[in-house]
Amino acid sequence: MKIEILNSNEKRSLQKEVIAKVRTLINEKNLEPGDKLPSERMLSEKFEVTRSTIREAIQKLEFYGLLKSIPQSGTFVANIGVIAMNGMIDDILRLEVPNFKSLVETRILLELKTARLASLRRTDEDLIKMKEALDAYSKKVLNNEIAVQEDLLFHLAIARACGNSTMNTFMLIITPEIITNFKKYHVCDDQLAYSAINEHKQIYNAIKEQNPQLAKQKMKEHFKELYRYCYNVNEI
Amino acid sequence: MKIEILNSNEKRSLQKEVIAKVRTLINEKNLEPGDKLPSERMLSEKFEVTRSTIREAIQKLEFYGLLKSIPQSGTFVANIGVIAMNGMIDDILRLEVPNFKSLVETRILLELKTARLASLRRTDEDLIKMKEALDAYSKKVLNNEIAVQEDLLFHLAIARACGNSTMNTFMLIITPEIITNFKKYHVCDDQLAYSAINEHKQIYNAIKEQNPQLAKQKMKEHFKELYRYCYNVNEI
DNA sequence: TTTCAATAATTGGTTAACCACTTAGAATTC
DNA sequence: GAATTCTAAGTGGTTAACCAATTATTGAAA
């Protein structure tokens, strides 16, 4: 067993090495769905890393649905097949940290859909929550305060009302990074904020009236400026 | 300090309790972005749970970008503001496990976009990978073998070529669950698999020829059957 | 009083030992 | 010989002690 004193970058690349080795092991031993991997202790000895490192690598592969740990029993190959496993690990290993453009592009895609779905599926309770978020936003903007948070809460209220928990989860994942980047690149100045009040109201009304086409259309208009802006941002 | 012996359900609900308590604490102490939370040891004593439980709750909030742990220093409120923090924790606590319908709906949304973007951004190397996946799929189907894995690898090859790492990540997250559900509900019988060969080829050609409209259109047709099927599945 | 070096306390992260549980196989019984 | 019980080894998970780095405190020097 090796002692490891690493910074976060070294740690990440070590984890990638371990994941690659796990894949090699699965291939060499011809492990199929349901088969058991060697124990964490054995793997840590075989790969000459600490058990913690093994555990974190396994947890990452578990997050992506490729492995399944069962307490007091073992870690098993998930029910998805060796070929898909190999392809997916390839992809996971080469995944890059998302850049701003990629985040915004994905956000717009999701929001056009959640607006449409929300207009079809929203409950009365959803509507109340959206109205609260809408008013909180208007109030702050009219008070000349920064309202990036209230802005995004309105959008998250729509995501919640869309009746699709996967999209809701994805919106939650990208929102904090969007906020951070908005602050970094100074998106959302006063001018945009003022006009956004009316845009929000129109989106809200379309969802209230259960008009999916209109909801999507109004969301699209709302993003028009943002979209243009983000494609001009030069990242470092 | 309490000893905890819990199954996975109890563990999850305990974690939710801890997350809710962290939110309460942030509100009561009026912590703002950049402020430091009490140490893990203090929190574990205050909330009467083990330090592991605290760490896992913090890691979850870190995953959603709400907190940031810095080694040998402390855990800090992320740069997103108290209001957004409260709203997001609300959402995180009420997040449901995604059902099949929600997964398919999201998949189709993502794939129509990745096909379009891939046709605009694919490199020659991307094209080669797609062709390999395409051929592997055809070969298996014509051999009357189940080819669910090869099918999804073709779609993942498109996702990789779309030049958007966020969408690529999201595709990777939902793919294993899609595969599992496909097997569970016996989607993709022989009939569908045969016609899918040509549909895949048409999608591939559209991306090769860099025709975004056509790529999206062909992907839409490819999903037509699947879409209809999934909306008829009665989940437990 | 101010400055700055030395030191003590505190931090998140790591690890070796431990835990409850599972599992496989030996031992026992019929 | 087959079925069942018992035992011991092995499993992922948990935890208390430990680690290096940071931060706060002290106190002497200027």
Side-chain angles (χ1 to χ4, degrees), chain B residues 25-42:
Chain B
L25 181 139
I26 290 174
N27 288 328
E28 284 177 354
K29 295 206 171 184
N30 288 313
L31 297 184
E32 309 224 335
D35 286 352
K36 190 160 91 170
L37 260 65
S39 72
E40 296 177 352
R41 288 167 183 81
M42 286 181 65

Side-chain angles (χ1 to χ4, degrees), chain A:
Chain A
M1 182 110 55
K2 231 173 170 177
I3 303 285
E4 296 163 8
I5 302 173
L6 305 171
N7 65 34
S8 61
N9 278 338
E10 293 168 331
K11 203 173 144 186
R12 202 172 315 140
S13 87
L14 179 62
Q15 193 188 77
K16 286 196 174 188
E17 275 180 46
V18 172
I19 289 176
K21 283 177 182 170
V22 168
R23 177 184 48 181
T24 305
L25 182 138
I26 289 174
N27 288 327
E28 285 178 352
K29 294 207 173 185
N30 288 312
L31 297 185
E32 308 224 335
D35 286 352
K36 190 158 89 170
L37 260 66
S39 72
E40 295 177 352
R41 289 167 182 82
M42 286 181 63
L43 289 177
S44 85
E45 217 167 299
K46 189 176 168 73
F47 298 160
E48 292 184 324
V49 296
T50 63
R51 202 180 141 199
S52 309
T53 309
I54 297 286
R55 279 180 66 79
E56 279 166 32
I58 287 175
Q59 274 162 21
K60 181 150 190 178
L61 292 176
E62 214 175 342
F63 173 79
Y64 283 105
L66 302 181
L67 297 179
K68 176 72 186 160
S69 280
I70 296 177
Q72 284 83 45
S73 180
T75 302
F76 299 84
V77 178
N79 189 27
I80 63 152
V82 178
I83 297 161
M85 164 89 65
N86 271 289
M88 284 194 60
I89 291 185
D90 256 345
D91 284 347
I92 290 167
L93 290 177
R94 79 173 60 200
L95 264 185
E96 294 161 13
V97 178
N99 56 27
F100 188 27
K101 192 172 165 181
S102 137
L103 285 166
V104 171
E105 204 168 70
T106 309
R107 182 190 169 192
I108 292 171
L109 175 70
L110 284 170
E111 295 238 34
L112 295 185
K113 195 69 174 188
T114 53
R116 191 178 170 283
L117 291 178
S119 74
L120 295 169
R121 301 174 183 170
R122 96 285 185 290
T123 65
D124 290 344
E125 194 195 333
D126 291 330
L127 219 51
I128 293 171
K129 292 278 180 190
M130 287 172 55
K131 187 67 166 60
E132 286 173 6
L134 180 66
D135 292 340
Y137 179 70
S138 303
K139 193 177 167 187
K140 271 224 167 176
V141 170
L142 294 174
N143 239 29
N144 282 317
E145 294 179 73
I146 300 289
V148 180
Q149 298 176 58
E150 287 77 6
D151 181 6
L152 279 146
L153 283 187
F154 175 69
H155 289 274
L156 284 178
I158 295 173
R160 192 195 297 178
C162 85
N164 183 310
S165 58
T166 307
M167 292 188 198
N168 197 1
T169 303
F170 287 170
M171 279 292 295
L172 285 171
I173 290 176
I174 62 177
T175 294
E177 298 186 78
I178 295 271
I179 295 181
T180 305
N181 278 286
F182 271 18
K183 288 184 175 172
K184 186 170 157 195
Y185 296 120
H186 303 98
V187 187
C188 292
D189 59 357
D190 298 339
Q191 181 54 40
L192 277 174
Y194 269 107
S195 51
I197 294 180
N198 265 323
E199 293 166 5
H200 278 194
K201 278 184 185 164
Q202 290 180 312
I203 295 167
Y204 170 78
N205 283 330
I207 293 174
K208 187 182 174 189
E209 303 302 330
Q210 309 197 317
N211 185 334
Q213 285 84 5
L214 189 63
K216 183 178 178 181
Q217 175 59 29
K218 290 300 171 187
M219 185 65 87
K220 206 170 199 169
E221 289 171 15
H222 180 47
F223 277 127
K224 201 173 175 185
E225 277 298 308
L226 177 62
Y227 196 72
R228 200 173 54 76
Y229 181 87
C230 293
Y231 269 77
N232 291 330
V233 165
N234 288 319
E235 288 188 88
I236 303 154

Side-chain angles (χ1 to χ4, degrees), chain B residues 143-154:
Chain B
N143 241 27
N144 283 317
E145 296 178 72
I146 301 289
V148 181
Q149 299 176 57
E150 287 77 7
D151 182 6
L152 279 145
L153 283 187
F154 175 70

